[in-house]
Amino acid sequence: MQSILPVFSILGMIVMFFALTMAVPLGVAWFGQDAALSSWHVGMALTFASGAVMRLLARRHRRELQPRDGIMLVALVWTVLPLFASVPLMVYFRQEGSELSFTDAYFEAMSGLTTTGATVLTGLDLLPPSINLWRCFMQWMGGMGILVLAVAILPMLGMGGSQLFRAEAAGPMKDTKLTPRITETAKGLWSIYCVLSLLCVLAYRLAGMSWYDAWVHMFTTVSLGGLSSYDASFGQFDSPLAEWVCVFFMMVAACNFAMYFVAVRKRSWSRLWSDTESRATVGLLVIASLVVAVLLWLKGTYEDPLHALRMAFFNVVSIATTTGYANTDYAQWPIFAPVLMLMLSGLSTSAGSTGAGIKMVRVIILIKQARREMARLVHPRAVNPVKLGGATVDNNTIFAVLGFMLVYGATIIGLTMVLLATDLDVVTAFTAVVASVNNMGPGLGSVGPAGNFAGLTDFQTWVCTVAMLLGRLEMLTFIVLFTPSFWRK
Amino acid sequence: MQSILPVFSILGMIVMFFALTMAVPLGVAWFGQDAALSSWHVGMALTFASGAVMRLLARRHRRELQPRDGIMLVALVWTVLPLFASVPLMVYFRQEGSELSFTDAYFEAMSGLTTTGATVLTGLDLLPPSINLWRCFMQWMGGMGILVLAVAILPMLGMGGSQLFRAEAAGPMKDTKLTPRITETAKGLWSIYCVLSLLCVLAYRLAGMSWYDAWVHMFTTVSLGGLSSYDASFGQFDSPLAEWVCVFFMMVAACNFAMYFVAVRKRSWSRLWSDTESRATVGLLVIASLVVAVLLWLKGTYEDPLHALRMAFFNVVSIATTTGYANTDYAQWPIFAPVLMLMLSGLSTSAGSTGAGIKMVRVIILIKQARREMARLVHPRAVNPVKLGGATVDNNTIFAVLGFMLVYGATIIGLTMVLLATDLDVVTAFTAVVASVNNMGPGLGSVGPAGNFAGLTDFQTWVCTVAMLLGRLEMLTFIVLFTPSFWRK
Ligand SMILES: [K+]
Ligand SMILES: [K+]
């Protein structure tokens, strides 16, 4: 037990900081005197007090964090914060006399903080502005926010955060050392995130959204989160301009933030186009959108080719970047399109972006590795290392990528089987799991863009909650907690 | 062009030999004077003549085969033989006035020779005995037969067959060198296959089948092929005894034949139980069957627990070993069961068996590799090699296994997307591809155990034909033909 206590000291700190962020919805509620005002008092006080208690109890046990403490902390942060985030939601719904179960509240909070964007709520348009803002603000903090928080705050506390960075950005990312000091990196990524956010708010406002809508949807655009304050999601605005702005910022946010950081530092904009991963990500998004546009036009779903182009780009980029907005029930499109979009949601985001899923850099490494294997089949003695961006990718990295793929596939199949055991239909079960693991949001079947996750039983909801968590922690980080070697001295 | 000619010389030889095997259905047709007699004359003559012409044309171009010739030959054998195998089928159906398209005939032959056992034919019970026998006999030759043929005949012709053996048994199998001389290995495996076949015929006869039924179903049991001469498949017999005999032989055939070979040579039966892969295969089959039996009983599908046990064991073992018999429409079972069975069909056969799919040895290596990756996440500097049967599995083998998994997954997803583009529903498309790639047979949806592949369009049928071929050639062997490095000097 003692060995976990130093972790709780940091966790308490993070929980206290999280409580402070509730000042944002509190301010909105106070300013607009909306129905949820007292929920924010309760939520903020409870969260801050809990954090303080954790910190106090563990105050005698501070020490340098070990790698496994880092992994433990990451897992704890992502399971404990949704707990506190769900408190104001539950308090508000109880006040209104329409019970929101703990299962659903925790799901909603997890969906927010993991930037998944699946929801169990309907009648979003009627919720108090502060509640909708909180749902979306959680995504903004969640996506890159909590990553940056963890890498930036910990080192400032004098504790090495590099192992955390490694755990969070499992796989290839860990090897692109941007600056010697992780704090500086974190601050750099944070700055870029903020600049991007401001540009996005302004663009939305200029495209005709109200300031409130612009902020709320910016939160869920740059974080690739996809929650909305409207049941109709982006369909509410019915504005081609707003949708194209959204498409642009989703594409920008799906690229590696480290690339922007390096480009800014070296004042070299040509670096943007020379980044293999980002080029592949954007390329895939554009090609997939064009393919779907042509399909929709040929099959007569939309007769006007320009309309087909708009619908295809918005929905394909939204799903493929794991954002999850919709402006129509694309599940009604020829079945090839929605399934393609769902599959792409595992691929077309970059490591170091706010997206989830497999990530493009892994796909590139996998394709190069597959080519190498084929060459080896023909010329058994040939040596041809996998190269990326000029550097050789070592075997350990390739193993890590392949291991990730394996666990990723096994997780999706395993959780789908669990849902099938509850007699959910195959399409709903499989797509709910894929959409959750990829932190994307809507699936197909009864969890499709026209439905939501409210129809699931409590048990099924928990399976999806676990899937979101596994996806956000890139599987390994979480699963490693259950391996014996983790607990061995 | 010239560099391919030596391959055609061998191919001609194999085609001529294949023509000779048509003597078996010819004999049956002649003995029973059935309606297909003349089809066999045509088919045999055409096949033999074609083989002879190939051999003659290429006779000046014999030389030592290179690895890439081996790969080319394997691919050619598996695409050309179904061509000739389909001839008697087409001739017979044309005689009867009920056209069988080339697409369907080639599909049926490919399904036979790859031991898939999917069918586009209905009214099997009314077909001449020689036609049904041919369908099933192709499976017997296909499964292990053609593998053994290729490794045994080529070395006897004075040409090194080891690269072929390598290509056919891609992945881990290639590293278990049984005897220095591949010919001896091939003969050994052939002998075991024949002994097993004879035992199976006798057991079926003793279980009450007619001699004809016993032979025909033996052909498709020990080859894990799954074709039947009855539309009702094993449901026709409604005999628990015959089903348990079948379960036993499917389990025996799902284990590594090389293990039997070694056990016989060393006269050590304890080796059978010490083989990690076979133990895991049989263990998984038994556990999965028990799980499904309990599920069927609990959910009230079958009220009698013994009946549930019989139904579960027969259908689970049949699907999981990639055989594909059914004695009921198990698609009506609680959805967890049929999907579990379909998933297992990729896992629960051994390398060196007549089954297809991922194969258990790869699963074991993958699990060990995944464990190693997790340990590495916690203790980055720890060295712990993957071990199997006491020996260390080298990195190249692990890469080959991981590469296989990757291509396997990509193939299934890619072909499913192609079928979806033809507006097939998701469940039918996905399961048709999985059932074809795993050389298993029935899927779910409209290609489920109660349906068959006759409802597919020509294009969809060809996609499944390609899927069967890719599965049988373990993907890489085929795909490597389309890589530039294969054709480079
Ligand atoms: K999302
Ligand atoms: K089969």
Side-chain angles (χ1 to χ4, degrees):
Chain A
M1 192 58 203
Q2 194 190 334
S3 72
I4 294 183
L5 283 174
V7 174
F8 274 92
S9 172
I10 318 282
L11 182 65
M13 189 78 183
I14 293 171
V15 168
M16 284 160 75
F17 187 85
F18 189 63
L20 295 183
T21 67
M22 289 187 192
V24 175
L26 176 71
V28 168
W30 180 83
F31 189 77
Q33 287 297 312
D34 74 25
L37 184 56
S38 63
S39 320
W40 299 111
H41 291 132
V42 177
M44 203 168 160
L46 187 77
T47 305
F48 195 86
S50 304
V53 168
M54 280 185 217
R55 188 126 180 101
L56 270 175
L57 287 178
R59 74 184 181 284
R60 288 176 196 282
H61 300 274
R62 287 181 208 161
R63 62 163 165 76
E64 182 79 15
L65 288 192
Q66 306 299 315
R68 63 181 202 171
D69 296 326
I71 292 172
M72 178 67 101
L73 180 59
V74 171
L76 276 175
V77 165
W78 287 95
T79 40
V80 166
L81 290 194
L83 209 62
F84 292 110
S86 67
V87 170
L89 299 179
M90 281 191 290
V91 172
Y92 165 72
F93 276 91
R94 167 149 303 187
Q95 273 177 352
E96 295 295 298
S98 62
E99 196 81 36
L100 179 72
S101 73
F102 170 65
T103 300
D104 283 354
Y106 190 82
F107 174 91
E108 194 77 11
M110 181 66 88
S111 169
L113 285 166
T114 56
T115 75
T116 305
T119 187
V120 288
L121 302 177
T122 40
L124 299 176
D125 310 38
L126 304 173
L127 290 178
S130 66
I131 293 283
N132 270 327
L133 181 115
W134 178 240
R135 293 169 64 241
C136 298
F137 186 53
M138 276 196 288
Q139 297 212 310
W140 192 76
M141 292 191 294
M144 191 165 176
I146 299 219
L147 161 69
V148 174
L149 185 82
V151 250
I153 302 298
L154 290 182
M156 278 191 281
L157 297 175
M159 273 161 292
S162 60
Q163 65 279 8
L164 250 191
F165 193 62
R166 176 167 191 272
E168 194 108 5
M173 178 73 184
K174 69 185 184 226
D175 293 319
T176 64
K177 292 209 183 72
L178 296 174
T179 63
R181 292 186 52 78
I182 208 157
T183 315
E184 199 188 337
T185 308
K187 281 185 194 161
L189 300 182
W190 181 287
S191 310
I192 285 155
Y193 194 54
C194 290
V195 170
L196 192 62
S197 300
L198 285 176
L199 291 177
C200 185
V201 167
L202 289 176
Y204 276 148
R205 182 71 185 96
L206 291 174
M209 288 190 190
S210 73
W211 278 115
Y212 177 81
D213 282 346
W215 275 97
V216 160
H217 288 86
M218 174 280 284
F219 286 146
T220 61
T221 301
V222 296
S223 64
L224 303 178
L227 279 177
S228 170
S229 48
Y230 300 106
D231 285 329
S233 188
F234 254 71
Q236 177 78 18
F237 307 112
D238 194 21
S239 154
L241 184 58
E243 288 170 15
W244 285 111
V245 168
C246 182
V247 166
F248 173 77
F249 280 97
M250 289 190 290
M251 280 191 179
V252 168
C255 294
N256 192 336
F257 278 50
M259 172 189 75
Y260 301 123
F261 181 59
V262 173
V264 169
R265 270 183 69 119
K266 307 221 164 181
R267 301 185 196 289
S268 153
W269 293 104
S270 65
R271 288 204 155 252
L272 295 185
W273 188 242
S274 71
D275 184 75
T276 316
E277 183 183 20
S278 301
R279 216 166 53 195
T281 303
V282 172
L284 182 58
L285 290 174
V286 171
I287 290 169
S289 300
L290 290 176
V291 166
V292 169
V294 169
L295 181 80
L296 293 179
W297 180 59
L298 285 181
K299 294 254 183 184
T301 313
Y302 302 109
E303 299 209 343
D304 175 10
L306 280 179
H307 191 58
L309 207 65
R310 168 192 161 190
M311 298 309 267
F313 260 88
F314 183 75
N315 291 284
V316 171
V317 172
S318 163
I319 299 306
T321 58
T322 74
T323 310
Y325 293 132
N327 65 356
T328 184
D329 183 8
Y330 59 76
Q332 303 299 321
W333 290 356
I335 188 68
F336 175 80
V339 175
L340 176 73
M341 289 152 67
L342 198 74
M343 291 297 139
L344 288 180
S345 77
L347 313 176
S348 47
T349 57
S350 307
S353 78
T354 50
I358 295 168
K359 308 237 170 72
M360 182 54 83
V361 67
R362 289 204 180 91
V363 176
I364 295 171
I365 292 178
L366 289 174
I367 290 173
K368 294 193 173 193
Q369 170 63 14
R371 271 201 215 137
R372 181 201 201 186
E373 277 308 303
M374 287 184 200
R376 199 172 358 226
L377 205 62
V378 188
H379 309 289
R381 278 170 300 276
V383 177
N384 45 355
V386 171
K387 297 212 165 210
L388 190 66
T392 299
V393 181
D394 67 11
N395 277 0
N396 275 356
T397 305
I398 297 175
F399 272 135
V401 171
L402 288 163
F404 172 84
M405 289 305 297
L406 211 65
V407 176
Y408 177 82
T411 303
I412 287 177
I413 291 173
L415 292 179
T416 300
M417 294 308 296
V418 172
L419 286 186
L420 288 179
T422 65
D423 289 332
L424 207 59
D425 70 284
V426 177
V427 172
T428 302
F430 177 70
T431 62
V433 169
V434 170
S436 298
V437 166
N438 287 345
N439 297 139
M440 190 263 276
L444 297 172
S446 54
V447 295
N452 67 21
F453 286 66
L456 301 185
T457 66
D458 273 8
F459 178 75
Q460 291 164 346
T461 305
W462 279 108
V463 172
C464 292
T465 304
V466 169
M468 293 189 282
L469 184 64
L470 284 171
R472 191 75 277 179
L473 300 186
E474 310 233 324
M475 261 62 73
L476 283 178
T477 319
F478 191 80
I479 291 172
V480 82
L481 291 175
F482 297 98
T483 60
S485 67
F486 181 80
W487 297 102
R488 220 174 288 142
K489 275 285 173 199
Chain B
M1 192 58 203
Q2 193 190 335
S3 71
I4 295 183
L5 283 175
V7 174
F8 274 92
S9 172
I10 318 282
L11 183 65
M13 189 79 185
I14 293 171
V15 169
M16 283 159 76
F17 187 84
F18 189 63
L20 295 184
T21 67
M22 288 188 192
V24 175
L26 177 71
V28 168
W30 180 83
F31 189 77
Q33 286 297 310
D34 74 26
L37 184 55
S38 62
S39 320
W40 298 111
H41 291 134
V42 176
M44 203 168 160
L46 187 77
T47 305
F48 194 86
S50 304
V53 167
M54 280 186 218
R55 188 122 181 104
L56 269 174
L57 287 178
R59 74 184 181 287
R60 287 176 196 284
H61 300 274
R62 288 183 208 160
R63 61 162 166 77
E64 182 79 15
L65 288 194
Q66 306 299 316
R68 64 179 200 171
D69 295 325
I71 292 172
M72 179 67 102
L73 180 59
V74 171
L76 277 175
V77 165
W78 287 96
T79 39
V80 166
L81 290 194
L83 210 62
F84 292 110
S86 67
V87 170
L89 298 179
M90 281 191 291
V91 172
Y92 165 72
F93 275 91
R94 167 149 304 189
Q95 273 179 352
E96 296 294 297
S98 61
E99 195 80 37
L100 179 71
S101 73
F102 171 64
T103 300
D104 283 355
Y106 190 81
F107 175 92
E108 193 78 11
M110 182 66 88
S111 170
L113 285 166
T114 56
T115 74
T116 305
T119 187
V120 288
L121 302 177
T122 40
L124 299 177
D125 310 38
L126 304 172
L127 290 178
S130 66
I131 294 282
N132 271 326
L133 181 115
W134 177 240
R135 293 169 63 241
C136 298
F137 184 54
M138 277 196 287
Q139 297 212 311
W140 191 76
M141 291 192 293
M144 192 163 176
I146 299 219
L147 161 70
V148 173
L149 184 82
V151 250
I153 301 299
L154 290 183
M156 277 190 282
L157 297 175
M159 273 161 292
S162 60
Q163 65 280 6
L164 251 192
F165 193 59
R166 179 169 191 270
E168 193 108 4
M173 177 74 182
K174 68 185 184 226
D175 294 319
T176 63
K177 292 208 182 75
L178 296 173
T179 63
R181 293 184 52 77
I182 207 155
T183 316
E184 197 187 338
T185 308
K187 281 187 195 159
L189 300 182
W190 182 288
S191 308
I192 284 156
Y193 194 54
C194 290
V195 169
L196 192 61
S197 299
L198 285 176
L199 291 176
C200 185
V201 167
L202 289 176
Y204 275 149
R205 182 73 184 96
L206 291 175
M209 288 189 189
S210 72
W211 278 115
Y212 177 80
D213 283 346
W215 275 98
V216 160
H217 288 85
M218 174 280 284
F219 286 145
T220 61
T221 301
V222 296
S223 64
L224 303 178
L227 279 177
S228 170
S229 48
Y230 298 107
D231 285 329
S233 188
F234 253 70
Q236 177 78 16
F237 307 113
D238 194 21
S239 154
L241 184 58
E243 288 170 16
W244 284 110
V245 167
C246 182
V247 166
F248 173 77
F249 279 97
M250 288 190 290
M251 280 190 179
V252 168
C255 293
N256 193 336
F257 279 50
M259 173 189 74
Y260 300 123
F261 181 58
V262 173
V264 170
R265 270 184 71 120
K266 306 221 164 182
R267 300 185 198 289
S268 154
W269 294 102
S270 65
R271 288 204 157 252
L272 294 185
W273 188 241
S274 71
D275 184 74
T276 316
E277 184 184 18
S278 300
R279 215 165 54 195
T281 303
V282 172
L284 182 59
L285 289 173
V286 171
I287 290 169
S289 300
L290 290 175
V291 166
V292 170
V294 170
L295 179 81
L296 293 179
W297 179 60
L298 285 180
K299 294 254 182 183
T301 313
Y302 301 109
E303 299 208 344
D304 176 10
L306 280 179
H307 191 57
L309 207 65
R310 167 192 162 191
M311 299 307 269
F313 260 88
F314 183 76
N315 291 283
V316 171
V317 171
S318 164
I319 299 306
T321 58
T322 74
T323 309
Y325 293 132
N327 65 356
T328 183
D329 183 8
Y330 59 76
Q332 304 299 322
W333 291 355
I335 188 69
F336 175 81
V339 176
L340 176 72
M341 289 152 67
L342 198 74
M343 292 296 137
L344 288 180
S345 77
L347 313 176
S348 48
T349 57
S350 306
S353 78
T354 50
I358 295 168
K359 308 239 169 70
M360 181 54 82
V361 67
R362 289 205 181 91
V363 177
I364 295 171
I365 291 177
L366 290 174
I367 290 172
K368 294 193 173 191
Q369 170 64 13
R371 271 202 215 135
R372 181 203 203 186
E373 276 308 302
M374 287 185 201
R376 200 177 349 230
L377 205 63
V378 188
H379 309 290
R381 277 170 302 276
V383 176
N384 44 357
V386 171
K387 298 211 165 209
L388 190 66
T392 300
V393 181
D394 67 10
N395 277 359
N396 275 356
T397 305
I398 297 175
F399 272 135
V401 171
L402 288 163
F404 172 84
M405 289 304 296
L406 212 64
V407 176
Y408 177 82
T411 303
I412 287 177
I413 291 173
L415 292 179
T416 300
M417 294 308 296
V418 172
L419 286 185
L420 289 179
T422 65
D423 289 331
L424 207 58
D425 71 285
V426 177
V427 172
T428 301
F430 178 69
T431 61
V433 170
V434 170
S436 298
V437 166
N438 287 345
N439 297 139
M440 190 263 274
L444 296 172
S446 54
V447 295
N452 67 21
F453 286 66
L456 301 185
T457 65
D458 273 7
F459 178 75
Q460 292 163 347
T461 305
W462 278 108
V463 172
C464 292
T465 304
V466 170
M468 293 190 282
L469 183 64
L470 284 171
R472 189 76 277 179
L473 300 186
E474 309 233 325
M475 261 63 72
L476 284 178
T477 318
F478 191 79
I479 291 173
V480 82
L481 291 175
F482 298 98
T483 60
S485 67
F486 181 81
W487 298 103
R488 221 174 287 143
K489 276 282 174 203

